[in-house]
Amino acid sequence: PQAPSTRNDIRDCSADPPYLPPTATNTTARLAALRGILRTHDVHAYIVPSTDAHMSEYISERDARLGWLTGFTGSAGTAVVTRDKAALWTDSRYWTQAERELDCNWELQRTTSIESIGTWILKVVPAEGNVSLDPFLFSIDTWNSYSRALHGSGRTLLPLETNLVDQGWGDQRPPPSSSEIYSLPAEFTGSSWQEKVAGIRQRMEQHVRRPTAVLLSGLEETAWLFNLRGDDIPYNPVFYAYTLLTNTSVSLFVEQSRLSEEARQSLRSGCPGPLCVELQEYGQVSAHLRRYAQGNVTVWLGTEYTTYGLYAIIPQEKLLEESYSPVMMAKAVKNAHEREMLRATHVRDAVAVIQYLLWLERTVPQGQVDEFSGAQRIDAFRWAQEHSRGPSFQSISASG
């Protein structure tokens, strides 16, 4: 048996009464609400991931379901809630943080493997039990891994399109972003969105399977294709959208009211015709895809960014699957103008870093700098540079 912890910044669930640091979140009411919903749906275990419907590495507050349910705010983890147990899986970067943020309702599992999650589920869920998840929050590969882990065990992997955490979160869930989606000026892109669409259509024609459409789920794919930007996710210049690009049409699924006038005009400039962007509401993508997939079609998609929920809509024989969509591949190859822009960006960033190093040399000996004020200072130097839109992630600052 381990000796009780002498640290007061992490939880001690073996103490009587259990000790919780002030950073821990009381999740008793949240778990009770979710368990009530599980019973209503005849679900024995519910899996909650840390990502969103676009497999984004970083997410908006509205999509932070894992954080709301558990109190754990690390960027990677998976929770499973049964009718009487709850566990969180995360990697070694976050073990100490989890011990500070979880209350004693949660078991911390120091691994991230789906095999480990599957083994735990088989121990705590009765045979014939239902194991459920939101198919629009899991990649195709992850779904398949869970399916394999439970295969032949008598437990059923049950996709539920209603998100049960959202039901429990209710009115407290943050609203969707309402900020403007804007056009990136031509001086930064090196090619128009019309040229990019023509390039992707050319790739479709050249492919041996001759796909009739490309489905884009990754947020950076749509942002790159249309030269549009937003700020739905902190530190990431993207916005929530899907795109279905066919040989003759372009459908953009997005909250239309958020498009700037300039962005709207740019997208509608080719109407009517094959370069006319049809604007559809963000929530309509599943219904539209279902209708499209009834025809004599082949849909090309990247499995890394497409959720099982969308994937399952398209009949298997009408799918062309590759790890990355042709848009993600095209985006990865920078044109001459983009390369020039990248070099100029790094020069401006280097100036900010040099200013920061000089500032550190002058101020650290005075004993006035801590890690937080240091992070704030380098952010300020970067913001002062021309064209700055802020850092690409929160500055990670450490000394000693």
Side-chain angles (χ1 to χ4, degrees):
Q2 291 180 317
S5 169
T6 52
R7 293 174 58 166
N8 63 1
D9 66 333
I10 62 172
R11 64 183 185 159
D12 184 355
C13 297
S14 63
D16 188 20
Y19 170 73
L20 294 177
T23 46
T25 300
N26 182 343
T27 62
T28 302
R30 295 171 192 185
L31 282 168
L34 180 59
R35 285 177 172 135
I37 296 164
L38 295 190
R39 288 192 179 88
T40 306
H41 289 269
D42 192 29
V43 167
H44 297 86
Y46 193 63
I47 308 172
V48 183
S50 56
T51 188
D52 64 12
H54 302 269
M55 303 293 102
S56 306
E57 180 182 3
Y58 300 97
I59 56 171
S60 70
E61 283 185 9
R62 181 175 171 78
D63 285 315
R65 298 173 176 91
L66 186 79
W68 175 79
L69 182 65
T70 65
F72 169 70
T73 60
S75 69
T78 303
V80 181
V81 176
T82 71
R83 294 180 182 184
D84 58 357
K85 286 188 166 54
L88 172 80
W89 284 257
T90 191
D91 64 75
S92 57
R93 292 173 298 168
Y94 292 121
W95 293 343
T96 303
Q97 181 177 337
E99 294 287 10
R100 288 174 177 158
E101 293 181 330
L102 297 175
D103 65 7
C104 291
N105 288 313
W106 293 90
E107 298 171 24
L108 176 60
Q109 304 285 337
R110 290 174 160 78
T111 169
T112 56
S113 81
I114 290 174
E115 291 76 24
S116 147
I117 299 173
T119 303
W120 187 87
I121 287 172
L122 293 180
K123 274 187 199 149
V124 299
V125 171
E128 313 304 316
N130 288 324
V131 178
S132 226
L133 47 72
D134 178 344
F136 291 96
L137 292 181
F138 289 83
S139 72
I140 299 157
D141 287 349
T142 307
W143 168 273
N144 289 338
S145 299
Y146 280 113
S147 193
R148 280 194 298 274
L150 300 178
H151 181 72
S153 68
R155 283 87 175 165
T156 304
L157 188 59
L158 185 71
L160 277 182
E161 295 196 6
T162 307
N163 189 289
L164 305 189
V165 174
D166 292 352
Q167 277 192 3
W169 204 347
D171 298 343
Q172 300 301 305
R173 188 179 174 210
S177 175
S178 57
S179 61
E180 189 173 74
I181 298 167
Y182 58 94
S183 286
L184 196 63
E187 65 197 88
F188 295 111
T189 61
S191 50
S192 68
W193 71 259
Q194 290 91 341
E195 289 167 333
K196 292 177 178 179
V197 165
I200 300 304
R201 282 178 171 155
Q202 197 175 353
R203 288 179 180 229
M204 290 161 68
E205 278 173 32
Q206 290 166 350
H207 198 287
V208 63
R209 291 267 318 268
R210 299 297 287 269
T212 60
V214 175
L215 175 66
L216 305 180
S217 292
L219 298 182
E220 60 271 52
E221 297 179 296
T222 289
W224 176 85
L225 184 64
F226 295 113
N227 293 331
L228 295 176
R229 298 292 185 269
D231 61 0
D232 292 16
I233 296 177
Y235 308 107
N236 292 260
V238 294
F239 52 92
Y240 286 101
Y242 295 96
T243 301
L244 188 69
L245 171 63
T246 78
N247 320 46
T248 55
S249 67
V250 192
S251 298
L252 172 59
F253 300 86
V254 68
E255 198 55 57
Q256 299 176 35
S257 60
R258 296 179 51 205
L259 289 165
S260 71
E261 192 49 45
E262 187 190 2
R264 192 182 293 269
Q265 283 177 3
S266 162
L267 296 172
R268 306 293 290 164
S269 59
C271 297
L275 285 172
C276 171
V277 179
E278 295 164 24
L279 296 173
Q280 312 230 22
E281 283 307 311
Y282 174 75
Q284 289 301 306
V285 65
S286 296
H288 184 94
L289 194 58
R290 193 168 275 115
R291 282 194 302 274
Y292 181 76
Q294 286 170 358
N296 181 22
V297 298
T298 302
V299 180
W300 193 359
L301 53 78
T303 55
E304 287 286 319
Y305 289 85
T306 308
T307 62
Y308 181 78
L310 282 182
Y311 172 83
I313 290 171
I314 307 160
Q316 200 65 42
E317 69 278 6
K318 296 180 181 182
L319 270 169
L320 168 55
E321 298 173 51
E322 290 179 2
S323 293
Y324 298 99
S325 79
V327 169
M328 204 61 101
M329 300 304 280
K331 172 183 170 291
V333 182
K334 305 303 178 191
N335 62 41
H337 186 70
E338 286 172 319
R339 294 199 296 273
E340 192 185 312
M341 294 280 103
L342 282 169
R343 289 188 196 102
T345 299
H346 278 282
V347 170
R348 291 195 299 274
D349 193 62
V351 170
V353 173
I354 291 164
Q355 288 173 324
Y356 178 60
L357 294 174
L358 180 64
W359 178 81
L360 282 177
E361 280 180 24
R362 286 178 177 161
T363 49
V364 166
Q366 298 164 20
Q368 298 299 308
V369 186
D370 60 24
E371 292 170 343
F372 185 65
S373 65
Q376 286 182 304
R377 179 61 61 152
I378 193 163
D379 286 351
F381 282 132
R382 285 181 160 139
W383 269 115
Q385 289 294 322
E386 191 184 8
H387 305 309
S388 173
R389 303 296 297 228
S392 61
F393 53 86
Q394 199 169 3
S395 290
I396 299 171
S397 177
S399 65

